[in-house]
Structures are given as structure tokens and as C-alpha cells.
Amino acid sequence: MACLYGLTHLLLLHLTLFPPTHALSPANSLIFALKTQATPHGLLPRASPTDKLPFYHNVTLTISLAVGSPPQRVTMVLDTGSELSWLHCKRSPDLNSVFDPASSRTYSPVPCSSLTCLTRTRDLPVPASCDPNKLCHTAISYADASSIEGNLASETISVGSSSRAGFLFGCMDSGQSSNKEEDSKTTGLMGMNRGSLSFVTQMGFSKFSYCISGFDSSGILLFGEGRDASFTWLKTLNYTPLVEMSIPLPYFDRGAYTVQLEGIKVSDKLLALPKSVFVPDHTGAGQTMIDSGTQFTFLLGPVYAALKNEFTRQTEGVLRALEDPNFVFEGAMDTCFLIDPNQRGLPGLPRVSLIFRGAEMSVSDERLLYRVPSATRGSDMVYCFTFGNSDLLGLEAFVIGHHHQQNKWMEFDLVKSRVGLADVRCDIASQWLGITS
């Protein structure tokens, strides 16, 4: 599983979802308004009988929604890099937010003898097993060495005007996390990949999209087709096909949103790399995944080294390098610079473009450098290049994080097996769609 849950800071999106007004209809579109703000823990939007709801982000990508009967509010990390959704179900001094299955009349644990346990969990990284109570036991591990385990269960879950009874999820009662502070703020994780147990698959949505603002406090999350006339501007989307793998390979995640990276440019200079370095090998290692559960972008060693060298060359005389071989941010980002706090804004930087089959993702300006919290050298602040080295994390993959998806409309089409992207001012898109924050 590639998602770096707990290792990197995620974008905080507080989305409040409420019980249905009618049955689930995959053809319907659910539109949600985003707003960027530093939201203290516990201050979530109040209920509203509408499908256009406030959506807030700050540090981690989370959704607040109703689960169970009567509904309990839970907060889940939205993660396109994971399949099985799960909730913390055991109270502890370290957790402020948990789901209480004993308080829900629609909660039902899955016995380990059921076909659901025996067949539907086979594609998970660790297939389910039988616990001492003869319940379906599931465990999940992440790339940052954190893990969580508990029982598979079914419950009623609601998203705006859409509802699904018998939704399968993990009711987790133990785990080891690298980020206890983050765990205390969330009830669980919402898996959004292409697997049969993922949230988007179980809810029956054929398509979902999001636009994360990089300018101000507005943005959009959309479930469904979005065939309204006001969406005509989405004709500017460029699509890249999802890479399919028919046979299981040890290092290839078949549920991920895998695209084919074909090259990288710095300004107009294409890195001198053979296309073969971007193609998964016979073990499946080297796939390129679009992952909302990871903040930054990580590249395999040889590609990262080439990008680092070219970016450093083109910014010589513009940026002052941090001459500290022992400084590595987030365990994988070792290209860092010193910035005078008195200067106005960052200096002009060369654009970095990721070239996919049929589409291109350009990263520029402030999204190329990230200020490391509390890190200084004398009076200078420390900023690091927002691309990291996968090899330092032990990852056998390229991972495109959400930091580089800001101010881009990202569309995930499960029917046509493709990802669409376009440069969009998310605040303006919100106005086009009639959403006010």
C-alpha cells in the first residue's frame, strides 16, 4: 500500500455529510463547497439540509459524516491510495474521536465463516483471518510502518442525499501509529481507490472530482457525473488512461489510480532520461500513483536525482542551498534552501512539468518550495523542494501527492478508466457552479 498515512502532512478538508433525502442514484451529482481556514479541532460545520455543504481544509484531508442508526458523526481521512475504509471503535486516552458500534442498531460484525470474509477480502494487502470470537479479522499496514487492526463489519453510511445500507468497513480496536496527534483528531480513514471494498465502489459512484484551492478559501468536491450545463468548461480537461495490470504482481497496487509518467521538464528542458525508467518492471515496481493521502510527490532515485540536479542548476544564483548533508525533511526531501524572512515572496523559479500519457501537470511558484516548520539557520528560514526521493522511504513507486494538485480540477472516471486534469482557479470554478463559501 503506497499511501503515506501518518508520514506526511495531508490537506485538511472538513466536509460535513448528512442523512439522505432519497435513495442512492449514481447518476446524481453531489457538489460540496470548500473553504480554507485553520479550523480548531471540534469546530466543524453545522448540519444543513442541502447537498451544497461547506468543505474546509488546513492540514489533513478529512471528511466529517454520519454513520450508523441513529447517526454518529465521524471524521475520516479521504485517501485515494487506500481501499478498505475503517473507524476507530475502541476508546482510549489517546483518541478523542471514535465510533461506538454498541450505540447503533444497524451495526453488524461479519463472521469469519461468511462468503464476504472469505472472498471479498482476498485482494487486500493482508487477507482477512478468523479471530478468537470467530469474527472476520482484518489488518492494514502503511508505508510509514503504522498499522491498524480489528473486525470487518457492515453499517449504514450516508453521503448527502445518497445512502448505502450494509457498507463494509473495518471496526478497528488496536494499532500502532507514527502520528498519535493526528489519530486523536480523526475517527478513521475513507478508502477511495478502485478496489471492490472502497468507498466510491460501494457507494456506486462512477466518477468523482475535486479541486483544491491554492489561492483563497474556496474549492469543490463532486461525487457523480456533473452533467449540468454549468460544467461545460470541463471540456478543457486532458485525460490520461489508467494503467491496467491483469495479473497480480508483488509490487503493483492494482487498486491504485495508476497513470503512465513519461517524462519531466524543468522550464522547457526535458530531463535526459530513458522512458524505460518510468515503466513498471516485471515485479510491478515503478508504477505512478495519484494519491490524495500523501502531501508531496515522490520519485524513484534515478529520476529524483536528475530532477534535483537540473532544478539546482537552473536556480543557481537565485536560491541559496542549505549546506547540511544531515538535514532531510519528511525522511525523503534533501534538496533544501535558505530564504531571508525579510524578502518579499519567493524568487522566480523554473516550472516543473510532469508529462503523462495524454496530459501534463505543471508545478510552479510557491508549490515548488515548502517552508519547514520551526526550521531556521540563523535568521534564515528553511524551505525544501516539494519533490522527494522514494528510495529513501523504501517505496518502489512514483507517488503524486495533493500538494501538486492544487488549483487543478482532478477527475477520477472509474467507468472509462482514466484521470482528467486541467488548470483551474478553484475559487472561480466555485462561482461558476454557483457555490458560495
Side-chain angles (χ1 to χ4, degrees):
M1 183 173 297
C3 173
L4 308 185
Y5 175 62
L7 174 64
T8 56
H9 292 92
L10 307 170
L11 189 70
L12 173 61
L13 298 171
H14 287 321
L15 171 60
T16 308
L17 307 176
F18 304 100
T21 56
H22 57 76
L24 174 67
S25 175
N28 291 340
S29 298
L30 299 175
I31 308 171
F32 304 96
L34 287 74
K35 183 176 181 181
T36 306
Q37 64 179 33
T39 309
H41 175 55
L43 297 184
L44 298 178
R46 294 180 179 273
S48 172
T50 174
D51 284 346
K52 295 182 178 179
L53 304 171
F55 195 171
Y56 301 90
H57 68 85
N58 181 17
V59 180
T60 54
L61 190 71
T62 66
I63 291 179
S64 178
L65 70 158
V67 176
S69 305
Q72 299 177 44
R73 177 171 297 186
V74 298
T75 305
M76 306 173 76
V77 174
L78 181 67
D79 184 6
T80 61
S82 296
E83 177 173 353
L84 182 67
S85 301
W86 56 262
L87 297 172
H88 286 294
C89 292
K90 183 179 181 180
R91 296 189 181 277
S92 75
D94 298 328
L95 297 175
N96 296 322
S97 183
V98 297
F99 172 72
D100 182 7
S103 299
S104 174
R105 63 178 179 271
T106 50
Y107 175 84
S108 179
V110 175
C112 59
S113 59
S114 70
L115 286 176
T116 296
C117 186
L118 295 174
T119 62
R120 296 198 65 183
T121 66
R122 287 177 180 171
D123 291 334
L124 295 177
V126 179
S129 59
C130 199
D131 73 1
N133 296 319
K134 297 186 178 180
L135 296 178
C136 191
H137 181 268
T138 184
I140 302 175
S141 298
Y142 295 95
D144 63 342
S146 63
S147 61
I148 192 82
E149 59 183 292
N151 295 117
L152 192 69
S154 67
E155 185 55 282
T156 296
I157 191 167
S158 303
V159 179
S161 58
S162 301
S163 180
R164 177 72 74 192
F167 182 90
L168 294 171
F169 73 104
C171 193
M172 305 308 207
D173 56 16
S174 64
Q176 296 179 338
S177 174
S178 62
N179 196 330
K180 295 292 186 183
E181 180 180 356
E182 200 60 56
D183 278 354
S184 69
K185 298 177 182 179
T186 59
T187 318
L189 181 140
M190 180 182 289
M192 290 285 286
N193 76 2
R194 296 194 291 163
S196 65
L197 290 174
S198 78
F199 176 86
V200 68
T201 301
Q202 290 196 67
M203 293 299 292
F205 293 118
S206 62
K207 182 184 295 184
F208 69 96
S209 310
Y210 55 74
C211 191
I212 303 168
S213 179
F215 290 93
D216 64 7
S217 62
S218 61
I220 302 162
L221 172 68
L222 168 70
F223 286 106
E225 287 288 340
R227 291 176 176 172
D228 187 89
S230 59
F231 284 77
T232 54
W233 59 274
L234 291 180
K235 292 179 181 178
T236 60
L237 283 170
N238 291 313
Y239 289 96
T240 183
L242 292 170
V243 175
E244 307 288 350
M245 193 67 67
S246 59
I247 59 174
L249 295 175
Y251 293 105
F252 191 93
D253 183 351
R254 291 193 294 168
Y257 295 101
T258 301
V259 295
Q260 185 56 63
L261 184 62
E262 295 187 331
I264 300 177
K265 291 190 298 185
V266 182
S267 295
D268 292 325
K269 181 173 181 181
L270 183 67
L271 298 183
L273 292 167
K275 287 191 175 182
S276 59
V277 301
F278 301 106
V279 178
D281 64 18
H282 66 284
T283 69
Q287 72 184 114
T288 300
M289 297 175 281
I290 298 178
D291 185 4
S292 71
T294 299
Q295 182 175 12
F296 301 112
T297 294
F298 299 92
L299 309 171
L300 290 179
V303 177
Y304 171 75
L307 175 59
K308 171 183 177 178
N309 291 339
E310 183 59 30
F311 183 81
T312 302
R313 187 188 69 79
Q314 291 195 26
T315 57
E316 187 176 0
V318 177
L319 293 173
R320 288 180 294 139
L322 172 65
E323 303 292 348
D324 184 351
N326 297 318
F327 187 88
V328 181
F329 178 53
E330 296 286 6
M333 302 162 74
D334 59 3
T335 307
C336 301
F337 306 92
L338 298 175
I339 303 292
D340 186 341
N342 296 317
Q343 73 179 51
R344 293 187 176 180
L346 295 174
L349 300 173
R351 181 186 302 268
V352 175
S353 299
L354 304 176
I355 303 169
F356 303 108
R357 186 175 298 161
E360 188 171 307
M361 177 181 287
S362 293
V363 183
S364 60
D365 303 325
E366 70 277 0
R367 279 176 285 282
L368 287 169
L369 296 180
Y370 182 85
R371 182 183 175 183
V372 180
S374 304
T376 58
R377 292 295 185 274
S379 61
D380 292 320
M381 301 177 294
V382 177
Y383 280 72
C384 289
F385 193 37
T386 52
F387 292 83
N389 188 344
S390 293
D391 291 5
L392 295 180
L393 297 175
L395 285 175
E396 297 289 340
F398 299 92
V399 181
I400 312 300
H402 67 66
H403 184 79
H404 293 157
Q405 300 174 41
Q406 291 181 16
N407 274 320
K408 300 184 188 303
W409 187 273
M410 302 294 300
E411 178 185 281
F412 297 81
D413 190 332
L414 283 74
V415 173
K416 295 184 178 179
S417 193
R418 62 184 185 176
V419 174
L421 59 148
D423 291 323
V424 174
R425 277 281 300 272
C426 294
D427 56 331
I428 295 176
S430 295
Q431 296 173 17
W432 285 339
L433 297 174
I435 297 174
T436 57
S437 57

